[in-house]
Amino acid sequence: MSDEQRPEMDDAAPILGRWRNLYIAELAILAGFILIFWRLSAAYA
Amino acid sequence: MSALDWFVLLSTTLAIVVFGLWKTRSAQTSTAEYLHGGYRENWRTIGLSVMATQASAITFLSVPGQGYEDGMRFVQFYFGLPIAMVVISAWFIPIYYRLRVVTAYEYLETRFDLKTRLLAATLFLIHRGLATGVTIYAPAIILSAILGWPLQPTVVGLGVFITAYTLIGGSRAVSATQKQQMVVMLGGILVAAVVIVLRLPDDVSFSKAVALAGVHGRINPVSFQFSLNDRYNVWSGLAGGFFLALSYFGTDQSQVGRYLNGRSIGESRMGLLFNGALKIPMQALILFIGVLVFVFYQFTAPPLLFNRPLVAQVQASAEAPAWSALETRWDVLQTQKQTQTRQFLVADQLSTREALRQTEAQVQTLRAEAKVLAKRAVPGAETKDTDYVFISFVTRWLPHGLVGLLVAVILAAAMGATASELNALSATSVVDYYRRLVHPNASDTATLRASRVFTVVWGAIAIGFASFAALIDNLIQAVNILGSLFYGAVLGIFVCAFAFPRLRGNAVFWAASASQVLVIVLYFTSDIGFLWYNVAGCLGVVVGASILARTTGQLKAKSAA
């Protein structure tokens, strides 16, 4: 059976169209948290 | 605990166990169900299962204590995690799925050779076997402290209970019940946060509480100052945390086994990305709970030491009069601190801030004196009491019912994490040793029986190690240091496999062995932050294998790669 015929090889991204967009969203969330925490640290330093 | 606490604790725990038993009806009969759950989980189950595996009882015991003592800077430890989730989703998962492996180490034989596979599997078994002991020990402390049970029998009883639960349920039940456990955990910590805020004096608003924590340096989630000796800053979090998370989620079977249970690549990827997005806010919230407990104790006198059993031993020793004198000084200092805190709330000025900080320094000095005295009174006792801060607060200040809920949270976390670990230890022992070396043609029944025997054996080893865990001063750091000692070399092997197609097994095996020794030497001889062990171990394998392969002419030809 080729990879395409195996159901477990299904890798369609469920949202945002492509996995690349989901990965960018994940990294953007991380950047957002670091930004918020940096502002918090600066505010109470 | 009150009757209401017992009711909440028992009903919550029983509901999870009964649900798990109901889910295990089919898992009793096949090795596939027992070891990897039959490949049928969706991304929500995978995501929660991955989170529950990482969030052991230590998370709810030790992390608030870290927040209390050190503020929020520990959250930086998780900054590399989302990046690792992306890398694993993009590169690791498709390879694991294409080869349909049960353990990550199977892939290494396909790519390199048997000895490299066994080296990685052995390093996993050693460190995960030890770490599982710590994850059993942590909730035993709590049950022992709350119920007044002796610690050693509690360790054994809890270990036997969790081993039996894993033995009956297998992988599928572990995943299924982890969903319920995560719901209990997240619900429990949210309720705890709200109740602590409500416990603050009426005239102390939330913003004033945060400002007070800031004066004492507890609102410090980010530091951009680079230092190799500083355990937690943005750089060690992004670089060291990334390597640690990549090793843990990409090569540690206790996690790989969770997301390879998915019904497709897409489900596994989404589960990991879900974990990457939720982990940082969840850890920040747990740390912030510790910070709120610190603020609470600015208005109410905390105990001189949080480890009550140790205090009782000191009070029963010849040092009792000296301890009593220390407690008198402590009471005076606490009254002074409360007055100054009130003055700060009325007038937030440089002078009131400075006065508060000076008194806090005196508080810390007195606590240090108390620890020295406790050590003198009870030789060999561990006096660092960070792990007791939160549980001491819960039992003293939270209302009836909530104490039971929080104990249920901690027990649920222990069950979820330990069951995953025992299942992974059993899967690796069976797939990488028993079925590969001992009985390659073993029947399904024989393999299932072996899987169960290994679950019991690893449960016994973990319980044995848990009996020595009292010697460890901070549990969550101990687990992370233990992981960092072994993960770098294992990750290096996988990086060579994925990213350096011309490298062969021999060079990687010897480089990984040397790198593992190097990391252990670094641990005993240097002061660098433990997160950097992951970087050093991984780079040691990659650079060492590349040099070895070139000097010995073992590189594959470009066309063969």
Side-chain angles (χ1 to χ4, degrees), chain A residues 9-15 17 19, chain B residues 266-267 269-270:
Chain A
M9 297 306 286
D10 171 28
D11 68 345
I15 49 170
W19 283 108
Chain B
E267 300 289 346
R269 280 177 166 165
M270 272 304 286

Side-chain angles (χ1 to χ4, degrees), chain B residues 419-443:
Chain B
S420 274
E421 290 168 342
L422 288 178
N423 188 254
L425 288 164
S426 165
T428 305
S429 304
V430 165
V431 173
D432 295 298
Y433 287 90
Y434 176 78
R435 219 162 55 184
R436 178 64 185 83
L437 299 176
V438 183
H439 282 298
N441 300 316
S443 66

Side-chain angles (χ1 to χ4, degrees), chain B residues 269-331:
Chain B
R269 280 177 166 165
M270 272 304 286
L272 282 187
L273 294 179
F274 172 73
N275 171 51
L278 272 191
K279 188 70 190 177
I280 292 175
M282 182 180 130
Q283 291 300 128
L285 176 62
I286 300 173
L287 280 166
F288 190 63
I289 286 175
V291 172
L292 287 175
V293 171
F294 175 83
V295 172
F296 172 84
Y297 280 133
Q298 302 310 300
F299 301 96
T300 306
L304 181 49
L305 287 184
F306 288 97
N307 184 346
R308 279 189 231 159
L310 177 61
V311 170
Q313 284 179 282
V314 177
Q315 287 170 331
S317 73
E319 300 290 349
W323 180 263
S324 182
L326 273 186
E327 284 194 319
T328 306
R329 286 170 56 200
W330 179 253
D331 291 341

Side-chain angles (χ1 to χ4, degrees), chain B residues 146 190 214 310 319 345 359 396 457 462 476 483 506 520 546:
Chain B
I146 290 179
L190 280 173
L310 177 61
E319 300 290 349
L345 292 175
T359 306
R396 176 74 181 81
V457 168
I476 195 153
N506 260 345
I520 291 172
S546 301

